[in-house]
Amino acid sequence: MVSDTDVEVLAAVGAHLGSLAGHDLAVRCRQGVLDSKARAESRRERKRSLTNESTSRWAGAITRTSEDAWQLARRNMEADALSLRARCKKIGRRLAIPVGERRGRSCGYSTQAERFSKQQRLQVLRSRLETVEAMLTEGQVSVVRGGKALLHKRNNLDAAGLSAEQWRTVWEAERLFICADGEADKRLGNETIRWDPVEGSVEIRLPASLGHLANRTHGRYRLSAPARFPHRGDELAAQVAGGAVRYDVSFDAARRRWYLDASWKQESGWHPTLDDLRRLPILAVDVNDGHLAAWVVTPDGNPAGQPITVSLDLAGLSADARDGHLRAAISELIRTAKAHACGAFVIENLGFTQARTEGREHTGRRPSRGKRGRAFRRLVAGIPTAKFRDRLAQMASNAGIAVIAVDPAYTSKWGAQHWLAPLNHQFSTEVSGHHAAALTIGRRGLGQRARRRERCD
């Protein structure tokens, strides 16, 4: 627990650096699209101007964060433009066909009223597309320090359950900036923020304008309370002994607590080949809405043990809670994989890219209107395919387990066709179509056919 003096110092540092970060981000946004040489020159000039009001290392972290924010906003706008083009193309193709008629795989709208509403929607989408394309051409991006979601709550405080004072407290907390990038050749892996694994003490190098707040030499301030890392603290202690560590200090306005986060890059010396992994059992995972269906598959393509179901109900949860539930589910999968000596996870390379891009526009047998359309879009949004893939790759790498991604085509169909009936006949536990799909995914990762061969499998 930090003291009142610590709180004042942290708030002053975060507000001062946050102001510099906001100004630097505005400068970077005004510069627009830059090539690699111009980006390096821009960052060098911005860092030089920020150094006078902070330090060289604080300025380096601020300019790096601004560039990352601009690049992310640019990628988001390009993805938005791609989605708008796909929707306009889909609606335009169907509007070219008379009501109730069909041409090849495309069909016109069922009623004149639906056609009229789609004409209106097409105009709205084209207007949005023109705006986004103009911003992309001019190099403009939309970035909000603190988040657009929190900014929009300011105009609807009753629905957000916040008062104006509470919103202002959360807004200011989100816009604080206390981030220090690590340096491998510096003591304890960081010159700006230092954590001593023996004493647990935390020292911060203050910006030049706040040097009068220092309680240590060379403009440093030591917090009165020690910091402990219950999770992976031993790994962090080993990292600070000879490697770089990045620290982020944040303030939770709801709990009135300050947090210190440490992160570092871990180089893996383990690089197995696909042939090596196929000589070991694998754990095949099928990601679904509300749960993960998994099964251990032996190198000969047969299921081992009982089918595995891991609950993953993320509906109605906040982003942090969703991430926590996802990490807990992956931890359970890792424990299962280690218990069966699996060398790799096998998952589908699935992201619902087309469905997410085209939104509610009709494609093939995918529902688009009414309750079925809303239910389908809710289902797609509820399956964390990309987040699961990224988290699994990260956590599995730390556990020394590889990840194999396979083509998702027809895994559910072929699993139900070739495996569901014999699996239900063989195992006492009820086997669902998702478990059969997981087995098909595993066989595909092992380089085998999905079809079951009698007297072999």
Side-chain angles (χ1 to χ4, degrees):
M1 182 67 68
V2 295
S3 65
D4 294 339
T5 304
D6 295 341
V7 171
E8 294 178 0
V9 173
L10 291 174
V13 173
H16 176 69
L17 296 177
S19 176
L20 297 180
H23 174 73
D24 182 70
L25 181 59
V27 173
R28 176 62 187 92
C29 289
R30 285 195 294 268
Q31 293 175 347
V33 181
L34 302 174
D35 56 24
S36 58
K37 183 177 180 180
R39 283 198 302 269
E41 180 64 25
S42 169
R43 184 177 179 185
R44 185 162 49 250
E45 292 297 329
R46 291 184 287 117
K47 182 179 178 181
R48 185 180 295 114
S49 64
L50 291 173
T51 301
N52 297 330
E53 302 180 67
S54 55
T55 65
S56 176
R57 292 178 178 86
W58 284 123
I62 291 174
T63 54
R64 189 263 309 161
T65 303
S66 298
E67 183 64 33
D68 291 345
W70 190 93
Q71 295 292 345
L72 177 60
R74 178 77 177 183
R75 291 194 298 270
N76 290 339
M77 291 188 64
E78 291 174 347
D80 189 23
L82 180 64
S83 176
L84 291 172
R85 293 190 194 101
R87 299 180 188 190
C88 291
K89 182 179 179 181
K90 191 65 181 179
I91 296 177
R93 185 185 299 120
R94 296 192 67 186
L95 287 176
I97 304 173
V99 174
E101 295 186 12
R102 188 180 189 88
R103 293 178 184 174
R105 294 186 177 182
S106 300
C107 60
Y109 292 103
S110 56
T111 63
Q112 188 63 39
E114 182 184 7
R115 177 186 173 87
F116 178 71
S117 66
K118 289 297 181 179
Q119 287 176 329
Q120 292 180 312
R121 175 167 171 78
L122 181 60
Q123 294 176 359
V124 173
L125 293 178
R126 285 176 174 171
S127 176
R128 289 172 51 188
L129 179 59
E130 290 177 359
T131 302
V132 173
E133 288 181 337
M135 293 179 65
L136 288 173
T137 302
E138 297 174 3
Q140 299 180 5
V141 296
S142 178
V143 185
V144 177
R145 290 194 66 252
K148 291 183 181 179
L150 182 59
L151 177 63
H152 293 162
K153 288 181 181 179
R154 180 62 183 86
N155 298 324
N156 200 359
L157 294 176
D158 294 336
L162 298 172
S163 65
E165 294 77 11
Q166 291 173 330
W167 179 90
R168 174 60 59 180
T169 301
V170 177
W171 175 254
E172 292 177 352
E174 291 295 329
R175 291 171 63 87
L176 297 177
F177 185 93
I178 309 179
C179 172
D181 296 334
E183 299 169 282
D185 56 343
K186 296 299 180 179
R187 178 174 175 268
L188 298 179
N190 199 305
E191 180 70 15
T192 305
I193 300 178
R194 287 176 180 168
W195 175 74
D196 191 325
V198 178
E199 301 177 359
S201 61
V202 179
E203 288 188 1
I204 300 177
R205 173 68 183 274
L206 299 177
S209 60
L210 300 178
H212 60 281
L213 300 176
N215 59 6
R216 288 293 186 275
T217 58
H218 306 295
R220 308 186 72 87
Y221 182 86
R222 174 176 290 188
L223 300 181
S224 59
R228 302 296 179 188
F229 291 86
H231 177 62
R232 300 179 67 179
D234 53 344
E235 298 181 34
L236 174 58
Q239 178 68 20
V240 300
V245 181
R246 166 181 162 173
Y247 293 102
D248 292 87
V249 179
S250 59
F251 177 63
D252 189 335
R255 299 182 179 181
R256 309 295 299 178
R257 292 181 179 178
W258 291 86
Y259 292 91
L260 175 66
D261 297 323
S263 58
W264 64 93
K265 184 178 180 180
Q266 186 173 7
E267 297 292 342
S268 175
W270 182 58
H271 301 286
T273 64
L274 187 59
D275 292 335
D276 294 335
L277 296 175
R278 286 174 173 174
R279 297 189 185 98
L280 300 172
I282 56 94
L283 182 60
V285 184
D286 182 41
V287 184
N288 304 283
D289 182 27
H291 74 281
L292 304 175
W295 213 322
V296 177
V297 184
T298 59
D300 57 6
N302 288 313
Q306 298 293 325
I308 303 165
T309 302
V310 180
S311 177
L312 188 62
D313 189 6
L314 306 179
L317 301 178
S318 63
D320 293 339
R322 285 167 61 94
D323 192 60
H325 283 240
L326 189 61
R327 284 186 275 110
I330 294 175
S331 297
E332 185 172 346
L333 292 177
I334 291 176
R335 288 192 295 269
T336 303
K338 288 184 175 181
H340 291 82
C342 295
F345 292 100
V346 181
I347 60 174
E348 295 177 302
N349 189 16
L350 184 65
F352 296 105
T353 304
Q354 182 178 358
R356 295 178 188 273
T357 300
E358 294 183 351
R360 64 189 186 191
E361 306 309 329
H362 178 79
T363 297
R365 293 181 298 174
R366 191 180 77 204
S368 61
R369 294 178 297 164
K371 293 183 178 180
R372 293 181 66 245
R374 290 192 294 272
F376 177 81
R377 291 192 293 274
R378 192 181 308 113
L379 175 66
V380 171
I383 301 178
T385 51
K387 184 70 71 174
F388 173 80
R389 182 177 62 242
D390 297 340
R391 281 287 181 269
L392 179 64
Q394 177 187 14
M395 296 176 66
S397 176
N398 294 334
I401 304 176
V403 177
I404 302 174
V406 300
D407 186 356
Y410 302 106
T411 53
S412 298
K413 284 188 176 181
W414 288 347
Q417 179 180 353
H418 300 296
W419 287 98
L420 185 57
L423 289 174
N424 275 317
H425 178 73
Q426 180 178 356
F427 292 91
S428 58
T429 306
E430 182 178 356
V431 180
S432 67
H434 301 301
H435 294 111
L439 179 56
T440 305
I441 294 169
R443 290 176 61 86
R444 185 168 289 177
L446 293 170
Q448 301 184 18
R449 299 177 63 185
R451 181 177 300 174
R452 181 177 61 90
R453 297 181 180 179
E454 295 184 5
R455 297 185 302 277
C456 292
D457 294 329

